[in-house]
Amino acid sequence: MENAALLDPLEIEDLRCANSDFTMEVWNTVMEEIKNEFVARGISSMTYPQFLSLVMRVMKDVKGEGFTVQMGHLMDRVVIAELERRREGNDNAAGHQEGSDDLPLSFLLASLSLALNSSVADRIRVLYDSMLIGNEMNSSSSSSEGQEESTNTNNNDASKEQVEEMIQNLQSTCQLVPDAQIVETNSKVPYQTFRVGTGSELAQRAREGYGGKKGSQGVTRDGDGPVTLEDFHAILKSRTVCAWGECYIKKSSRTSTSDR
């Protein structure tokens, strides 16, 4: 898996160091513009050029013409690979029709986070907030149609599906360590075989635990349902997800995190 990775950890570190001016303040300004430009109009997917054009425009407005994403070819690499993967999946699908190159906003934001120069705690928070954009769209849609929101829906929590999708995005953008992504297959004879797990599988293993007493315990109280920010932090830091190698960092508090 390490040899096949699109980015190695040193390249990601170089990308963040090269973008030392891409701070939380800039990210928050970008997010506000995304909400105004896309979310308010119910747009949840777009082409990479459309997304990047907005980001570049905001960056220039904030700090001038020379402000841009440095070493952006590394970000381009993971986006191009995702487009190719999706095209290949469409080509193999029965009754395939030529589609667009739109990508989910959650994937594009996960890709952009590669360049964000911040603490890990802030990075986790912006990813969590990125998932909640979907809740804002649903809330706006319900309000515009005169529908009452369900009392069981908490727009401040991410859904199980949103978390699974975000973990898949982090996996696709090389932000999970290779070891954590390996899961067992059902083939145990003559020896146990393994494969790369999906985002859904990794999230489920983190939340519910696996392997009995010799495996890993679940990190959330509820194995199936909405996920709080604290839960999301625990999932990303678990041995079965291990975003940015955080499962190797020993800390006294569940929500404490390393800064890089």
Side-chain angles (χ1 to χ4, degrees), residues 14 67 76 120 122 141 145 164 175 190 193-194 204 228 232:
D14 288 344
F67 189 34
D76 295 343
V120 173
D122 282 339
S141 175
E145 295 174 5
E164 291 174 351
Q175 300 189 62
T193 58
F194 301 87
Q204 183 178 5
T228 65
F232 186 56

Side-chain angles (χ1 to χ4, degrees), residues 106-162:
S106 64
F107 173 80
L108 293 168
L109 288 170
S111 301
L112 183 62
S113 74
L114 284 165
L116 178 63
N117 193 294
S118 72
S119 68
V120 173
D122 282 339
R123 200 177 308 140
I124 290 173
R125 183 174 64 80
V126 300
L127 290 172
Y128 189 80
D129 290 344
S130 298
M131 293 188 292
L132 297 186
I133 284 180
N135 295 351
E136 293 184 29
M137 288 188 189
N138 293 336
S139 178
S140 299
S141 175
S142 297
S143 298
S144 64
E145 295 174 5
Q147 298 174 352
E148 294 184 1
E149 292 185 19
S150 169
T151 56
N152 295 326
T153 300
N154 185 351
N155 284 348
N156 294 322
D157 291 341
S159 69
K160 171 187 175 183
E161 292 75 19
Q162 288 169 329

Side-chain angles (χ1 to χ4, degrees), residues 7-19:
L7 298 175
D8 65 46
L10 291 179
E11 286 181 310
I12 295 176
E13 186 70 17
D14 288 344
L15 179 59
R16 292 191 178 125
C17 290
N19 289 281

Side-chain angles (χ1 to χ4, degrees), residues 14-186:
D14 288 344
L15 179 59
R16 292 191 178 125
C17 290
N19 289 281
S20 58
D21 289 334
F22 188 25
T23 60
M24 284 296 302
E25 180 182 1
V26 178
W27 176 279
N28 290 335
T29 305
V30 170
M31 287 300 295
E32 284 303 313
E33 191 62 23
I34 285 174
K35 290 177 182 179
N36 293 334
E37 189 81 12
F38 298 127
V39 178
R41 301 186 328 188
I43 299 174
S44 60
S45 62
M46 66 220 60
T47 66
Y48 184 47
Q50 288 174 325
F51 174 79
L52 207 55
S53 176
L54 180 144
V55 172
M56 294 297 99
R57 187 179 77 237
V58 172
M59 294 178 79
K60 289 178 181 179
D61 288 345
V62 171
K63 294 191 176 182
E65 287 293 325
F67 189 34
T68 186
V69 177
Q70 303 296 328
M71 298 179 68
H73 64 280
L74 296 178
M75 201 167 78
D76 295 343
R77 192 187 300 169
V78 297
V79 173
I80 291 171
E82 180 68 10
L83 284 170
E84 291 176 347
R85 184 187 69 80
R86 288 170 179 263
R87 288 168 185 161
E88 183 178 345
N90 289 337
D91 289 342
N92 294 334
H96 161 66
Q97 293 182 346
E98 193 68 27
S100 71
D101 283 339
D102 284 3
L103 289 167
L105 180 57
S106 64
F107 173 80
L108 293 168
L109 288 170
S111 301
L112 183 62
S113 74
L114 284 165
L116 178 63
N117 193 294
S118 72
S119 68
V120 173
D122 282 339
R123 200 177 308 140
I124 290 173
R125 183 174 64 80
V126 300
L127 290 172
Y128 189 80
D129 290 344
S130 298
M131 293 188 292
L132 297 186
I133 284 180
N135 295 351
E136 293 184 29
M137 288 188 189
N138 293 336
S139 178
S140 299
S141 175
S142 297
S143 298
S144 64
E145 295 174 5
Q147 298 174 352
E148 294 184 1
E149 292 185 19
S150 169
T151 56
N152 295 326
T153 300
N154 185 351
N155 284 348
N156 294 322
D157 291 341
S159 69
K160 171 187 175 183
E161 292 75 19
Q162 288 169 329
V163 171
E164 291 174 351
E165 180 182 17
M166 182 56 73
I167 291 176
Q168 183 67 56
N169 293 337
L170 293 175
Q171 184 180 36
S172 299
T173 55
C174 305
Q175 300 189 62
L176 307 184
V177 299
D179 290 351
Q181 302 175 53
I182 304 301
V183 300
E184 303 87 352
T185 69
N186 292 327

